[in-house]
Amino acid sequence: MILELAKDIDPKQLGALADKLEWMGFNYSIHKTDERTDIAIISGSDSKVDINQFKNLPYVENVSSFKQSFKLAGKELREKSKTFQIEDVTFGQGHFSVMAGPCSIEGEEQIFNIAEAVSSAGAKILRGGAFKPRSSPYSFQGLGKEGLKLMQKAAAQYKLLTVSEIMDAEDLPLIEEYVDILQVGARNMQNFSLLKKLGKTSKPILLKRGLSATYQEFLMSAEYILSGGNERVILCERGIRTFEPYTRNTLDIAAIPILKSLSHLPVIADPSHGTGIRSLVAPMSKAAIAAGADGLMIEVHPEPDKALSDAAQTISLEDFSKIMGSILPVNKQLVSV
Amino acid sequence: MILELAKDIDPKQLGALADKLEWMGFNYSIHKTDERTDIAIISGSDSKVDINQFKNLPYVENVSSFKQSFKLAGKELREKSKTFQIEDVTFGQGHFSVMAGPCSIEGEEQIFNIAEAVSSAGAKILRGGAFKPRSSPYSFQGLGKEGLKLMQKAAAQYKLLTVSEIMDAEDLPLIEEYVDILQVGARNMQNFSLLKKLGKTSKPILLKRGLSATYQEFLMSAEYILSGGNERVILCERGIRTFEPYTRNTLDIAAIPILKSLSHLPVIADPSHGTGIRSLVAPMSKAAIAAGADGLMIEVHPEPDKALSDAAQTISLEDFSKIMGSILPVNKQLVSV
Amino acid sequence: MILELAKDIDPKQLGALADKLEWMGFNYSIHKTDERTDIAIISGSDSKVDINQFKNLPYVENVSSFKQSFKLAGKELREKSKTFQIEDVTFGQGHFSVMAGPCSIEGEEQIFNIAEAVSSAGAKILRGGAFKPRSSPYSFQGLGKEGLKLMQKAAAQYKLLTVSEIMDAEDLPLIEEYVDILQVGARNMQNFSLLKKLGKTSKPILLKRGLSATYQEFLMSAEYILSGGNERVILCERGIRTFEPYTRNTLDIAAIPILKSLSHLPVIADPSHGTGIRSLVAPMSKAAIAAGADGLMIEVHPEPDKALSDAAQTISLEDFSKIMGSILPVNKQLVSV
Amino acid sequence: MILELAKDIDPKQLGALADKLEWMGFNYSIHKTDERTDIAIISGSDSKVDINQFKNLPYVENVSSFKQSFKLAGKELREKSKTFQIEDVTFGQGHFSVMAGPCSIEGEEQIFNIAEAVSSAGAKILRGGAFKPRSSPYSFQGLGKEGLKLMQKAAAQYKLLTVSEIMDAEDLPLIEEYVDILQVGARNMQNFSLLKKLGKTSKPILLKRGLSATYQEFLMSAEYILSGGNERVILCERGIRTFEPYTRNTLDIAAIPILKSLSHLPVIADPSHGTGIRSLVAPMSKAAIAAGADGLMIEVHPEPDKALSDAAQTISLEDFSKIMGSILPVNKQLVSV
């Protein structure tokens, strides 16, 4: 249920209304924009709440039901796409951010070399895996805390933000200390316990689409985080599983304009995991931008063939620099089209 | 690496050999059957270990590399399918077990009614969800601890084992207290942190196949649990996601004989989630048995249309009784064919 | 639109009514069963025809719209599944038929050996490819007319019916001469021009499901044949394409009970193409029977490893005999359950 | 087998060599470029031909086996992508062509209005369906010959080329008379009989990818046409079938750079069928261009909501004009990047 409030409502009146809703037993959240103030009643199924009991509340000018089940991730509370800040980087419509780095943090020299290259190519965010979701228990599982420390040091030197995957809620205090953006991997997209806990952190979340998740399911997973109170969620299209053996995944470029039409959240693309093939990173980066992506996540390594994980899809620092040189101007032209 | 030991090795000699392996820096596990004793060296990639350093160890008669990446879940250490006990129920080749119960535990009367019907129809295991992985944060999330207590009471009265889903490692102490078999849901099949922790519990695990998991990935997830030391893992085929809109999922019946040929673990099928359609539970149960399933998991409810979750695929207690009456004899005939 | 007629309508009255419908400009077909006579008005979209213009016609007791778009393939005109004869073999509910033979007819000795084995194992229909839909233009394309002649001779000697694929409407006169049942392959399931022409032949059609066809599309392809006047169509589930690399296709066993609930047409399964793996033919045959299949199609060869096409999924004549020995009694038991 | 010939070979010598190959019993084709002349021996499996029997032939400087099974569609005979002419339009690398028009030709006024708009927006090719592959036999099947005549008249007036689907080889003489480019629809991509016959026509072919065809299969279908002697084949990515219910298909943008890396044939994209959603035509057109597409095929209609087929994905003439205004300059910039 969305309660649209009078424009001239003052904080005291708003407080009184909120108290009343609490007394009535509802969970609610207040959504202010420059144009209007809304209250979203999100708890319980809309169908069980009588719309009439809100119509006569003071300062409530209009009451409507949510049409979409992703109430907070959708656009019903706010028509326009919203932007948000992570430190000095703006995410969302009209802005464009590139996250780059190794699949796995492997050591000090590696991550510093990469950080320097990522920064000088014009990207603002360093990615690096410290806790790795490997399909085999016998594969390299990441450097853990040691890796996070190294990445933080490298990022600090080159003035980059950092993003790294969280696989276990138990690691939340540790990762919150060292990382700016917490990534939820495709395999954990419907790990609802983890999502609920991430709804309570103050860190922004990069949520990757599951390997066979529908758009609806993807947005409902974002809703789990948003409904916990964490409003800074970035959606990442990273390829779906299909019958095609040539590629690791099929990067669903249409997901970008569709998610942006359904949701106010920023949408980025990961052409590295999305294809699994080095030579496709450049054309698919351009395609993602052309389709309206708000950013990219790209795997880079000083010696791609020696990368401890995901070597086949990882590009060299030189290639990354070239891609950045070609996509950043394209982005400006396309955004202005 | 598999070290095949002399048949006449005695416990003291085995202990000495184990000490030696530990001193050499290897993780290993000992596998005894009636016919032979093997030691599996599972840590690290096989390719980096020199096979020759084992050949001259005392009592080692033969050394071979693992061909499959699912070393413990596969059949290389033991050729035949193995059985194991959960209380008085035997799981695995030549045995057949049915797990039945509600999608969600809803209250005392409901779960007692169901337990009575499940027991009198001849099933030995009561399923019931207390922590529910719902795609919406606003849907009914389960009764939690209260639900587990009710299920335990009902199961005790009707002498049934219980199975319930664990979504969060944090709940492990609680669920271990109340539940006999811990279920990992399809959405958590690659929640590797959870799997690692379940490798350390003494409870058996029912591992459901992910919505788009390959057989290889499914077995590698089982390997995560087995490599932690927990040998009692049951695999559950529960349908994969395809393009077909008529059914909720496409139950992959071929997975049953294939998984049983690749692995010594018991394989059961879930025709309820596997189709999402009530009328398909009976024919797909029979098909699963005919293909060699070691058991079934079926959702039942006294009033299926009023079930708080998954109503469309839930069958009535009467229908369950009828299905049991028709499938148990079929199973005997097919097994003997 | 379905016009349900008075039970006591006589041929002359029916003729008069038919003339009237023709004069009104409708295409119609008359459907008689023991219980009733119906007229189906199938041309044009139902929505554009005014139901009232039929209500007052003489002998019309009830008028209803088709709910399903597969008007003739569905069950609205007749509630029960229907059977039909192909020579001395009955197809449909309560009957069970096995078609077996080589992927490709390769020569006289081969097809005679196979025909003998197929017949002595108890199957009634010999399959054999003469025109092969190979994905490469450079692969063996089949023996053509020469192959059909050989198969006809072998079948005659062992009193078998024959089934062979038609790839091109141009070959219709030739294939009609030599073959009892005309097969439409998965790749031609939506070759609507071919389907229309097969609606005009007097031979029964075995229609294979397309690699990514939905149930609805499969039934609509059958509808193309039925609407041309050919009522003898057998549906064949032969596996769908999924992400699983282990098998050639994923045999969708649930398609069997679903198609049989939606349609009165017989439904058989092809475990050879449906899995692509020899060792799965037996368990998947049993599963198909358990799910209610009206028949099976199985690829056999005297020396499977030397088969000119589809060797990996072809079983030996000995194995076929064993499978027949185990499935025919299972079928009787399951059908009676 | 590829026979690389001496650069100074003259026509008479080439003729003598060809005669010799014919006498040896091989099918071959001669491939001349500015740089070199090759002879491709394409009949039979390479493995059965002894490479040595060619090595000592006169003027043969080098002999190599084909590595890819798509011998003529691949790049082994010519490293660079090739271009070809259809009247005054050039297809292939470095050129860009737009085909636009209605799903179905509905009447004179409609097709003339569309032709005018297509032409004035800068496109060079008019598409229009006259024989429609509808999944229901009761849906509008197209105007047939009458439609082709109308399209030809409209195209002539606005100096456009035409493209229309051929569903039945029987219609080949008719369609060849009225249409410049013959389209093979997704459902007929593996109608090998039709493909073989199209290998013998002098008209260029637009080959659409099947709904669940792999890249390999798509190229092998092109190979059927090429091996018949018709060298002018355009590949069209038009979306694959996935589990996503929101869109009609999932447009596989990665197919564009992959097909262009594997094959010398031009590759275009169809964002209308590829998504099934009007609002996605613009962003997916841009994405396809950014990924390197050599052209686009777009469905347009003066009154999209009244289109007799595929209304949901059809855009208005005004929107088409806008899209052309934005994509043509983007194409130039991207191509130059």
Side-chain angles (χ1 to χ4, degrees):
Chain A
M1 209 72 74
I2 304 169
L3 315 188
E4 204 173 318
L5 305 187
K7 278 180 189 161
D8 56 356
I9 190 167
D10 69 29
K12 208 174 139 192
Q13 293 163 333
L14 184 59
L17 178 58
D19 288 349
K20 175 125 197 181
L21 288 169
E22 200 150 356
W23 177 84
M24 289 165 83
F26 292 109
N27 286 328
Y28 62 88
S29 58
I30 298 172
H31 299 265
K32 275 193 190 189
T33 65
D34 288 350
E35 293 107 43
R36 68 188 222 211
T37 301
D38 293 328
I39 291 185
I41 310 285
I42 53 170
S43 67
S45 155
D46 274 352
S47 58
K48 291 178 191 155
V49 181
D50 180 6
I51 197 164
N52 289 309
Q53 66 190 122
F54 300 106
K55 282 196 170 150
N56 295 323
L57 287 174
Y59 313 107
V60 172
E61 294 204 334
N62 193 25
V63 182
S64 56
S65 292
F66 281 103
K67 284 175 202 74
Q68 300 278 24
S69 43
F70 34 88
K71 302 175 186 186
L72 303 178
K75 287 190 160 173
E76 294 179 73
L77 272 170
R78 50 176 73 80
E79 272 164 50
K80 289 190 214 158
S81 288
K82 209 173 64 159
T83 61
F84 55 75
Q85 292 290 122
I86 304 177
E87 304 290 328
D88 59 334
V89 178
T90 308
F91 273 87
Q93 186 62 35
H95 299 267
F96 189 79
S97 306
V98 177
M99 308 176 176
C103 181
S104 298
I105 304 161
E106 296 169 8
E108 184 154 6
E109 196 186 332
Q110 177 233 33
I111 194 69
F112 270 78
N113 282 349
I114 291 173
E116 184 189 10
V118 164
S119 168
S120 67
K124 293 279 182 0
I125 304 157
L126 181 64
R127 67 149 282 157
F131 297 94
K132 299 299 305 169
R134 304 305 298 276
S135 53
S136 168
Y138 312 125
S139 299
F140 175 57
Q141 306 275 314
L143 292 183
K145 181 177 177 176
E146 184 54 27
L148 294 181
K149 277 183 169 174
L150 292 174
M151 178 163 66
Q152 192 193 43
K153 257 175 76 181
Q157 176 157 339
Y158 295 100
K159 297 197 180 8
L160 296 165
L161 295 180
T162 58
V163 57
S164 195
E165 178 163 353
I166 176 158
M167 287 178 61
D168 192 331
E170 204 177 67
D171 302 325
L172 195 47
L174 176 70
I175 296 180
E176 277 175 327
E177 188 183 340
Y178 290 103
V179 177
D180 296 306
I181 304 173
L182 278 44
Q183 176 178 323
V184 176
R187 289 165 187 79
N188 276 321
M189 192 204 84
Q190 291 195 316
N191 179 343
F192 300 121
S193 292
L194 179 61
L195 299 179
K196 279 184 187 172
K197 286 169 184 165
L198 294 176
K200 299 300 179 195
T201 178
S202 62
K203 297 280 181 175
I205 307 299
L206 177 71
L207 179 65
K208 290 199 142 191
R209 182 180 177 190
L211 274 76
S212 64
T214 62
Y215 305 143
Q216 166 84 17
E217 288 171 340
F218 191 14
L219 291 171
M220 289 312 294
S221 286
E223 189 80 8
Y224 260 96
I225 303 169
L226 295 167
S227 67
N230 187 349
E231 295 207 332
R232 293 187 297 172
V233 175
I234 302 162
L235 303 173
C236 181
E237 162 60 32
R238 47 78 72 208
I240 55 170
R241 185 157 275 183
T242 66
F243 53 80
E244 177 60 55
Y246 192 89
T247 47
R248 180 174 178 179
N249 291 295
T250 296
L251 190 66
D252 178 11
I253 293 287
I256 299 167
I258 293 170
L259 291 169
K260 287 180 64 90
S261 75
L262 294 175
S263 170
H264 59 81
L265 296 170
V267 180
I268 71 168
D270 176 347
S272 305
H273 288 85
T275 64
I277 298 176
R278 210 173 281 171
S279 64
L280 293 175
V281 172
M284 295 310 282
S285 292
K286 289 178 193 168
I289 293 170
D294 299 316
L296 294 172
M297 173 172 251
I298 296 176
E299 288 193 350
V300 303
H301 195 281
E303 296 175 280
D305 289 325
K306 294 189 182 164
L308 288 186
S309 49
D310 287 350
Q313 71 198 32
T314 297
I315 59 172
S316 69
L317 304 179
E318 295 71 36
D319 283 345
F320 178 66
S321 174
K322 272 186 227 157
I323 289 177
M324 288 292 281
S326 71
I327 62 179
L328 292 186
V330 168
N331 180 49
K332 280 199 193 108
Q333 289 158 353
L334 283 160
V335 165
S336 66
V337 163
Chain B
M1 210 72 77
I2 302 170
L3 315 187
E4 205 173 316
L5 305 188
K7 276 178 191 164
D8 57 355
I9 190 168
D10 69 29
K12 209 176 139 190
Q13 293 162 333
L14 184 60
L17 178 57
D19 286 349
K20 176 127 196 178
L21 288 169
E22 199 151 356
W23 176 83
M24 288 165 84
F26 291 111
N27 286 328
Y28 63 89
S29 57
I30 298 170
H31 298 265
K32 276 194 190 187
T33 65
D34 288 349
E35 293 105 43
R36 67 187 223 214
T37 302
D38 293 329
I39 291 185
I41 310 284
I42 53 170
S43 68
S45 156
D46 274 351
S47 59
K48 291 176 191 156
V49 181
D50 181 6
I51 198 164
N52 289 308
Q53 65 190 123
F54 299 107
K55 283 197 170 150
N56 296 322
L57 286 175
Y59 313 107
V60 172
E61 297 204 331
N62 193 28
V63 182
S64 56
S65 291
F66 282 103
K67 285 176 201 73
Q68 299 278 24
S69 43
F70 34 89
K71 302 175 187 184
L72 302 178
K75 288 189 160 174
E76 295 180 73
L77 272 171
R78 50 177 73 82
E79 270 165 51
K80 289 191 214 157
S81 288
K82 210 174 59 160
T83 61
F84 55 73
Q85 291 290 123
I86 305 178
E87 306 288 330
D88 59 334
V89 178
T90 309
F91 273 86
Q93 187 62 34
H95 298 267
F96 188 78
S97 306
V98 177
M99 308 176 177
C103 181
S104 299
I105 304 160
E106 296 170 8
E108 184 155 7
E109 197 187 330
Q110 179 234 31
I111 194 69
F112 270 78
N113 282 349
I114 291 172
E116 184 190 8
V118 163
S119 168
S120 66
K124 292 281 186 351
I125 303 156
L126 181 64
R127 65 149 282 158
F131 297 93
K132 299 300 305 170
R134 304 305 299 275
S135 53
S136 167
Y138 312 125
S139 298
F140 175 59
Q141 306 275 313
L143 291 184
K145 180 178 178 176
E146 183 55 26
L148 294 181
K149 280 181 168 176
L150 292 174
M151 180 163 65
Q152 193 192 42
K153 255 175 75 181
Q157 176 156 339
Y158 294 100
K159 297 198 179 8
L160 296 165
L161 295 179
T162 56
V163 57
S164 195
E165 178 163 353
I166 177 159
M167 288 176 61
D168 192 332
E170 203 178 67
D171 301 326
L172 196 47
L174 175 70
I175 296 180
E176 278 176 326
E177 188 183 340
Y178 290 103
V179 177
D180 296 306
I181 305 172
L182 277 46
Q183 176 180 323
V184 177
R187 289 165 186 79
N188 275 322
M189 191 204 84
Q190 291 194 316
N191 179 344
F192 300 120
S193 292
L194 179 61
L195 298 179
K196 279 183 188 173
K197 286 169 185 166
L198 294 176
K200 300 299 179 195
T201 177
S202 62
K203 296 281 181 175
I205 307 299
L206 176 70
L207 179 65
K208 291 198 141 191
R209 182 180 178 190
L211 275 77
S212 63
T214 62
Y215 305 143
Q216 165 86 16
E217 288 171 340
F218 191 13
L219 291 171
M220 289 312 294
S221 286
E223 189 80 9
Y224 261 96
I225 302 170
L226 295 167
S227 67
N230 187 348
E231 294 207 334
R232 294 188 294 172
V233 175
I234 302 160
L235 303 173
C236 180
E237 161 61 33
R238 47 77 72 208
I240 54 170
R241 185 157 276 182
T242 66
F243 54 79
E244 177 59 54
Y246 192 89
T247 46
R248 181 174 176 178
N249 292 295
T250 296
L251 190 66
D252 178 12
I253 293 286
I256 299 166
I258 293 170
L259 291 170
K260 286 179 65 90
S261 74
L262 294 174
S263 170
H264 59 81
L265 297 170
V267 180
I268 71 168
D270 175 347
S272 306
H273 287 85
T275 63
I277 297 175
R278 211 174 281 171
S279 63
L280 293 176
V281 172
M284 296 310 282
S285 291
K286 290 178 194 168
I289 293 170
D294 299 315
L296 294 172
M297 175 174 249
I298 296 177
E299 288 193 350
V300 303
H301 195 280
E303 296 176 278
D305 289 325
K306 293 189 182 165
L308 289 185
S309 48
D310 287 350
Q313 72 198 32
T314 297
I315 61 171
S316 70
L317 303 180
E318 294 71 35
D319 284 346
F320 177 65
S321 174
K322 272 186 229 158
I323 289 177
M324 288 291 281
S326 70
I327 61 178
L328 290 186
V330 168
N331 180 49
K332 281 200 194 107
Q333 289 159 352
L334 283 160
V335 165
S336 66
V337 164
Chain C
M1 209 74 73
I2 302 169
L3 314 189
E4 204 174 318
L5 305 188
K7 277 177 189 164
D8 56 356
I9 189 167
D10 68 30
K12 209 175 138 190
Q13 293 163 333
L14 185 59
L17 179 57
D19 288 349
K20 174 126 197 179
L21 288 169
E22 198 150 358
W23 177 84
M24 288 165 83
F26 292 110
N27 286 327
Y28 62 88
S29 57
I30 297 172
H31 298 265
K32 275 193 191 186
T33 65
D34 288 349
E35 293 106 41
R36 66 187 222 214
T37 302
D38 294 328
I39 291 185
I41 310 283
I42 53 170
S43 66
S45 155
D46 274 352
S47 58
K48 289 176 192 157
V49 181
D50 181 5
I51 197 164
N52 289 309
Q53 65 189 123
F54 300 107
K55 283 196 171 149
N56 296 322
L57 287 174
Y59 313 107
V60 172
E61 295 204 333
N62 193 27
V63 182
S64 56
S65 291
F66 282 103
K67 286 176 200 72
Q68 300 278 23
S69 43
F70 34 89
K71 302 174 188 186
L72 302 177
K75 288 190 160 174
E76 295 179 74
L77 272 171
R78 51 176 74 79
E79 270 164 52
K80 289 191 215 156
S81 288
K82 212 173 59 159
T83 60
F84 54 75
Q85 290 291 121
I86 304 178
E87 305 289 330
D88 58 334
V89 179
T90 309
F91 274 87
Q93 187 63 34
H95 299 268
F96 188 79
S97 307
V98 177
M99 308 177 177
C103 181
S104 298
I105 304 161
E106 296 169 9
E108 185 154 4
E109 196 188 331
Q110 178 232 32
I111 194 70
F112 270 78
N113 282 350
I114 291 172
E116 184 189 10
V118 163
S119 168
S120 66
K124 292 280 186 347
I125 303 156
L126 181 64
R127 66 148 282 158
F131 297 93
K132 299 299 306 169
R134 304 304 299 276
S135 53
S136 167
Y138 312 126
S139 298
F140 176 58
Q141 306 275 313
L143 293 183
K145 182 178 176 176
E146 183 56 26
L148 294 181
K149 279 181 168 176
L150 292 174
M151 179 162 65
Q152 194 193 42
K153 256 175 75 181
Q157 177 156 339
Y158 295 100
K159 297 197 181 7
L160 297 165
L161 295 180
T162 57
V163 57
S164 196
E165 178 163 354
I166 177 158
M167 287 178 62
D168 192 332
E170 205 177 66
D171 302 326
L172 196 46
L174 176 70
I175 296 180
E176 277 175 328
E177 189 183 340
Y178 290 102
V179 177
D180 297 307
I181 305 172
L182 278 45
Q183 176 180 322
V184 177
R187 290 166 185 79
N188 275 322
M189 192 204 84
Q190 292 195 315
N191 179 344
F192 300 120
S193 292
L194 179 61
L195 298 179
K196 279 183 187 174
K197 286 168 184 165
L198 295 176
K200 299 300 179 195
T201 179
S202 62
K203 297 281 182 176
I205 307 299
L206 176 71
L207 180 65
K208 291 199 141 192
R209 182 180 177 190
L211 276 76
S212 63
T214 62
Y215 305 143
Q216 166 85 18
E217 288 170 342
F218 191 14
L219 291 171
M220 289 312 294
S221 286
E223 189 79 10
Y224 260 96
I225 302 169
L226 295 168
S227 68
N230 187 348
E231 294 207 333
R232 294 188 295 172
V233 176
I234 302 162
L235 303 172
C236 181
E237 161 60 33
R238 46 78 71 209
I240 55 171
R241 185 157 275 183
T242 66
F243 54 79
E244 177 59 55
Y246 191 88
T247 47
R248 180 174 177 179
N249 292 295
T250 296
L251 190 65
D252 178 11
I253 293 286
I256 299 167
I258 293 170
L259 291 170
K260 286 179 65 89
S261 75
L262 294 174
S263 171
H264 58 82
L265 296 171
V267 180
I268 71 168
D270 175 347
S272 305
H273 288 87
T275 63
I277 297 175
R278 210 174 281 171
S279 64
L280 294 175
V281 172
M284 296 310 281
S285 291
K286 290 179 194 168
I289 293 170
D294 299 316
L296 294 171
M297 174 173 250
I298 296 178
E299 287 193 352
V300 303
H301 195 281
E303 296 176 278
D305 289 325
K306 293 188 182 165
L308 289 185
S309 48
D310 286 351
Q313 72 198 31
T314 296
I315 60 171
S316 69
L317 303 180
E318 294 71 36
D319 284 346
F320 177 65
S321 175
K322 272 186 228 157
I323 289 176
M324 288 292 281
S326 71
I327 62 179
L328 291 187
V330 168
N331 180 47
K332 282 201 194 104
Q333 289 159 353
L334 283 160
V335 164
S336 66
V337 162
Chain D
M1 209 72 74
I2 304 169
L3 315 187
E4 205 173 316
L5 306 187
K7 277 179 190 164
D8 56 356
I9 190 168
D10 68 30
K12 209 176 139 191
Q13 293 163 331
L14 184 59
L17 178 57
D19 287 348
K20 174 128 197 178
L21 289 169
E22 200 150 356
W23 177 84
M24 289 165 82
F26 292 110
N27 285 328
Y28 62 88
S29 57
I30 298 172
H31 299 264
K32 276 193 190 187
T33 64
D34 288 349
E35 293 105 43
R36 68 186 221 214
T37 302
D38 293 328
I39 291 185
I41 310 283
I42 54 170
S43 67
S45 155
D46 273 351
S47 58
K48 291 176 194 157
V49 181
D50 180 7
I51 198 162
N52 290 310
Q53 65 190 122
F54 300 106
K55 282 197 171 149
N56 296 322
L57 287 174
Y59 314 108
V60 171
E61 296 204 332
N62 192 26
V63 182
S64 57
S65 291
F66 281 103
K67 287 175 200 73
Q68 300 278 22
S69 43
F70 34 89
K71 303 174 187 186
L72 302 178
K75 288 190 160 172
E76 295 180 74
L77 272 171
R78 49 177 74 81
E79 271 165 51
K80 289 191 214 158
S81 288
K82 206 173 64 157
T83 60
F84 55 74
Q85 290 291 121
I86 304 177
E87 306 288 330
D88 58 335
V89 178
T90 309
F91 273 87
Q93 187 61 36
H95 299 267
F96 189 79
S97 304
V98 178
M99 308 176 177
C103 181
S104 299
I105 304 161
E106 295 169 9
E108 184 154 6
E109 196 187 332
Q110 179 233 32
I111 195 69
F112 270 79
N113 282 349
I114 290 172
E116 183 189 11
V118 163
S119 167
S120 67
K124 292 279 185 352
I125 303 155
L126 180 64
R127 66 149 281 158
F131 297 94
K132 299 298 305 168
R134 304 304 299 275
S135 53
S136 168
Y138 312 125
S139 298
F140 175 59
Q141 305 275 314
L143 292 184
K145 181 178 178 177
E146 183 55 27
L148 294 181
K149 280 183 168 174
L150 293 174
M151 179 162 66
Q152 193 193 42
K153 256 174 75 180
Q157 176 156 340
Y158 295 101
K159 299 196 178 12
L160 295 165
L161 295 179
T162 57
V163 57
S164 195
E165 178 163 354
I166 177 158
M167 287 177 61
D168 192 331
E170 203 178 67
D171 302 326
L172 196 46
L174 176 70
I175 296 180
E176 278 176 326
E177 187 184 341
Y178 290 104
V179 176
D180 297 305
I181 305 172
L182 277 43
Q183 176 179 323
V184 177
R187 289 166 187 78
N188 276 321
M189 192 204 84
Q190 293 194 315
N191 180 342
F192 300 120
S193 293
L194 179 61
L195 299 179
K196 280 182 186 173
K197 287 169 184 166
L198 295 175
K200 300 300 179 194
T201 178
S202 63
K203 297 282 181 174
I205 307 298
L206 176 70
L207 180 64
K208 291 198 141 191
R209 181 180 178 191
L211 275 76
S212 63
T214 62
Y215 304 143
Q216 166 85 16
E217 289 170 339
F218 192 13
L219 291 171
M220 289 312 294
S221 286
E223 190 80 7
Y224 261 95
I225 303 169
L226 295 167
S227 67
N230 187 349
E231 296 207 331
R232 294 187 296 172
V233 175
I234 302 162
L235 303 172
C236 181
E237 160 61 33
R238 47 75 74 207
I240 54 170
R241 186 157 275 181
T242 67
F243 54 78
E244 177 60 54
Y246 191 89
T247 47
R248 180 174 176 179
N249 291 295
T250 296
L251 190 66
D252 177 12
I253 293 286
I256 300 166
I258 293 170
L259 291 170
K260 286 178 67 89
S261 75
L262 295 174
S263 170
H264 59 81
L265 297 170
V267 180
I268 71 167
D270 175 347
S272 305
H273 288 86
T275 63
I277 297 175
R278 209 174 281 171
S279 64
L280 293 176
V281 172
M284 295 310 281
S285 292
K286 290 178 194 169
I289 294 170
D294 298 316
L296 294 172
M297 175 173 250
I298 296 177
E299 287 193 351
V300 304
H301 196 281
E303 296 176 278
D305 289 325
K306 294 189 181 164
L308 288 186
S309 48
D310 287 350
Q313 72 197 31
T314 297
I315 61 171
S316 68
L317 304 179
E318 295 71 37
D319 284 346
F320 177 66
S321 174
K322 272 185 226 156
I323 288 176
M324 288 291 281
S326 71
I327 61 179
L328 291 186
V330 168
N331 180 49
K332 283 202 192 101
Q333 288 158 354
L334 284 160
V335 165
S336 66
V337 163

